[in-house]
Amino acid sequence: MSYVNDVLERTATRYNYQPEFCQALTEVLHSIAPAVESNPQYEKAALLERLVAPEKATVFRVPWVDDNGKVQVNRGYRVQFNSAIGPYKGGLRFHPSVNMSIIKFLGFEQIFKNSLTGLPIGGGKGGADFDPKGKSDNEVMRFCQGFMTELYKVIGPNSDVPAGDIGVGGREIGYLFGQYKKITGRHEGVLTGKGLSYGGSLARTEATGYGLVYLTEEMLRQHGNSLEGKTVAVSGSGNVAIYAIEKAQKLGAKVVTASDSSGYVYDAEGIDLEILKKVKEQERARISKYAEYKPTATFVPGKRVWEVPCTVALPCATQNELNLEDAKTLVKNGCIAVAEGANMPSTIEATDYFLANKVLFAPGKAANAGGVATSALEMSQNSARIVWTFEQVDEKLKDIMENIYYHMSTAAETYHQKDNFVVGANIAGFLKVADAMMAQGIV
Ligand code: NDP
Ligand code: 2IT
């Protein structure tokens, strides 16, 4: 058995109770096999065995008191996966589904994503099984304070810098930062996605969605096409989805859907962003509210957006939200490009179907890397104690996304899999991390 398959089989057997982690592991290890085979020194150094094991994982209890005076207990996580190329960097997710499998899959993906940005950041992820939905601001604040009271012990501006993810946005980062500062007495760049008044970077809020669209446009451009005039389906209606819709519309696309876990809205006129932002960013309401404000839109409960005909699909909600059936529907309806705003939204079967049917497919670790890349730009500004303009950050973001496209497409060609950006992104991300691990010895 090959070295890659041996490590994959042993790790997947050992962690068979962590399905999302095993899924990410399978996709990455299969893709990088040719690069591993042409570097036999990796096996001698047990490089893959080290790569698939987090350097450190912390699990902690988070007790807090709700508005009724009842004590609640949640579970917090921080997985510090790989620091070969820089301090651990990656978001925090607050969602009831959070467990070790989900945090490990996200942390593992983050290693290669962060490498692809070209910036010096290692991979990590964290979160809690706390559900911010329906909680008051005070409850969210008390939870964040309790969470940080443990988390601060393992993070720092030069060791591990968390940020947002599902359920963690500007409000949560503010409360987390306040508690970190209170405990340590230090005002430093220990979190990214901060508010602009206390060290945040302009364009970080927009970065993941904008970056997704910059990469999509570059991918289309290199194939003689563009977003102009295209019908686009977007899933989700959170941070990534909203700013992907904004940038896609700026580039002349018509985005006809948005969704949340209750269903989706279809708006033949194109999504009205002002209304969507009001419903989601201000009212924190369900997506059906959009259709109440906008008479041309229909709300379809309990369904996914992929049944709506589109030319370009941008999944921006969560893992495994697009399966083989959805992929078949999209291809049948004429979809030519899929770019993942979310982390691992397509199942392995769906991904394989897109590739087999010549759909241009940009995997999440490349397509959504603009968020973490801009987080790294926030870290640079914090370290240098300077502030860049929106235009400066946005221009760097666009450059980074175009470079990611270049590196993943070049790696795909080098390994004789032209336009297979899954292989390209995984190999390009992996080789830099492998090189750094080899240089640093057995640690
Ligand atoms: P938000 O919390 O802002 O929004 C998440 C959206 O996805 C909501 O519309 C939510 O609906 C929906 N969603 C979440 N979980 C589920 C579920 N289990 N089933 C159906 N819908 C769901 O998160 P973000 O926009 O920040 O993140 C979205 C995706 O993008 C995630 O995969 C995240 O890991 C990824 N990502 C985020 C980055 C960032 O900078 N924020 C960077 C790179 C990737 P509901 O409210 O009903 O739960
Ligand atoms: O998945 C991701 O890349 C993020 N949630 C953003 C991480 C970050 O550190 O900005």
Side-chain angles (χ1 to χ4, degrees):
M1 193 190 288
S2 73
Y3 174 46
V4 173
N5 282 337
D6 177 48
V7 173
L8 175 58
E9 201 179 290
R10 280 191 287 133
T11 315
T13 305
R14 177 165 179 187
Y15 293 107
N16 61 5
Y17 56 95
Q18 296 181 342
E20 292 85 3
F21 175 56
C22 290
Q23 184 181 337
L25 204 62
T26 304
E27 186 220 273
V28 171
L29 291 192
H30 276 158
S31 302
I32 63 174
V36 174
E37 271 152 30
S38 50
N39 286 286
Q41 70 276 23
Y42 292 167
E43 183 170 0
K44 273 204 203 97
L47 185 115
L48 291 183
E49 290 89 330
R50 288 188 285 140
L51 187 70
V52 301
E55 290 174 16
K56 186 172 181 178
T58 309
V59 183
F60 49 95
R61 182 178 73 188
V62 186
W64 57 282
V65 183
D66 71 18
D67 286 347
N68 298 320
K70 188 168 183 295
V71 178
Q72 303 278 351
V73 183
N74 286 98
R75 184 169 288 215
Y77 302 83
R78 186 71 183 167
V79 171
Q80 299 173 322
F81 227 116
N82 192 295
S83 61
I85 65 172
Y88 308 110
K89 183 82 197 86
L92 298 170
R93 177 177 292 191
F94 291 171
H95 192 273
S97 64
V98 163
N99 57 32
M100 194 48 111
S101 174
I102 288 184
I103 298 300
K104 275 178 69 183
F105 117 64
L106 290 163
F108 189 63
E109 287 283 291
Q110 200 83 41
I111 302 170
F112 310 101
K113 182 197 303 195
N114 293 4
S115 169
L116 277 171
T117 66
L119 299 168
I121 39 179
K125 200 84 188 190
D129 60 356
F130 171 76
D131 188 356
K133 263 194 225 101
K135 303 288 192 299
S136 70
D137 283 351
N138 273 329
E139 288 176 321
V140 170
M141 180 178 75
R142 286 195 295 274
F143 175 77
C144 288
Q145 291 172 342
F147 184 82
M148 184 52 85
T149 301
E150 282 302 324
L151 186 71
Y152 93 96
K153 296 171 185 169
V154 299
I155 62 175
N158 296 308
S159 56
D160 185 357
V161 183
D165 192 79
I166 290 176
V168 177
R171 175 182 61 170
E172 291 74 19
I173 293 292
Y175 294 146
L176 290 164
F177 187 78
Q179 183 71 354
Y180 178 86
K181 190 164 60 64
K182 182 173 169 98
I183 296 173
T184 63
R186 292 194 296 266
H187 194 299
E188 56 193 7
V190 71
L191 293 163
T192 60
K194 298 186 292 298
L196 298 179
S197 55
Y198 62 94
S201 173
L202 283 157
R204 174 60 188 91
T205 303
E206 295 83 356
T208 310
Y210 278 22
L212 169 68
V213 173
Y214 291 146
L215 185 129
T216 307
E217 181 74 349
E218 181 63 12
M219 178 169 77
L220 289 168
R221 197 175 70 83
Q222 294 291 343
H223 292 80
N225 218 325
S226 82
L227 277 165
E228 170 96 51
K230 300 285 185 305
T231 299
V232 176
V234 169
S235 66
S237 51
N239 173 263
V240 180
I242 286 176
Y243 293 95
I245 296 172
E246 185 165 288
K247 185 54 77 177
Q249 289 179 341
K250 282 223 175 80
L251 296 186
K254 188 185 202 186
V255 182
V256 292
T257 63
S259 71
D260 64 18
S261 55
S262 68
Y264 74 86
V265 287
Y266 171 71
D267 192 339
E269 279 189 352
I271 294 290
D272 183 323
L273 251 193
E274 222 171 288
I275 296 179
L276 188 66
K277 285 185 180 178
K278 182 167 122 132
V279 169
K280 285 295 174 179
E281 293 185 335
Q282 288 161 35
E283 300 176 1
R284 294 182 189 271
R286 304 278 72 206
I287 196 72
S288 55
K289 197 81 180 282
Y290 176 92
E292 287 173 29
Y293 287 126
K294 184 91 191 303
T296 57
T298 46
F299 170 61
V300 184
K303 290 282 205 54
R304 311 201 225 200
V305 304
W306 315 124
E307 63 190 27
V308 174
C310 66
T311 312
V312 175
L314 303 176
C316 296
T318 193
Q319 66 276 354
N320 293 327
E321 55 161 318
L322 196 167
N323 63 24
L324 179 59
E325 282 313 302
D326 301 322
K328 287 182 177 167
T329 308
L330 282 165
V331 171
K332 183 166 62 73
N333 286 338
C335 177
I336 60 160
V338 177
E340 298 185 322
N343 285 307
M344 208 168 76
S346 311
T347 63
I348 289 183
E349 297 75 24
T351 302
D352 290 345
Y353 189 82
F354 288 136
L355 293 174
N357 285 275
K358 303 275 174 251
V359 172
L360 293 171
F361 179 80
K365 64 172 68 66
N368 70 38
V372 75
T374 306
S375 279
L377 301 179
E378 183 171 330
M379 290 166 70
S380 301
Q381 293 169 82
N382 291 165
S383 299
R385 306 209 185 287
I386 53 171
V387 177
W388 290 327
T389 63
F390 189 97
E391 288 70 27
Q392 284 174 305
V393 179
D394 190 35
E395 200 177 303
K396 290 183 206 300
L397 168 65
K398 189 157 183 274
D399 265 6
I400 290 168
M401 299 315 295
E402 289 173 3
N403 267 318
I404 291 175
Y405 178 80
Y406 172 77
H407 286 298
M408 75 177 183
S409 60
T410 306
E413 276 195 49
T414 305
Y415 285 87
H416 313 294
Q417 305 230 33
K418 189 172 178 324
D419 286 349
N420 184 332
F421 303 129
V422 176
V423 164
N426 281 320
I427 290 184
F430 164 72
L431 284 174
K432 181 177 170 189
V433 175
D435 187 68
M437 287 176 73
M438 293 301 287
Q440 290 169 31
I442 308 301
V443 289

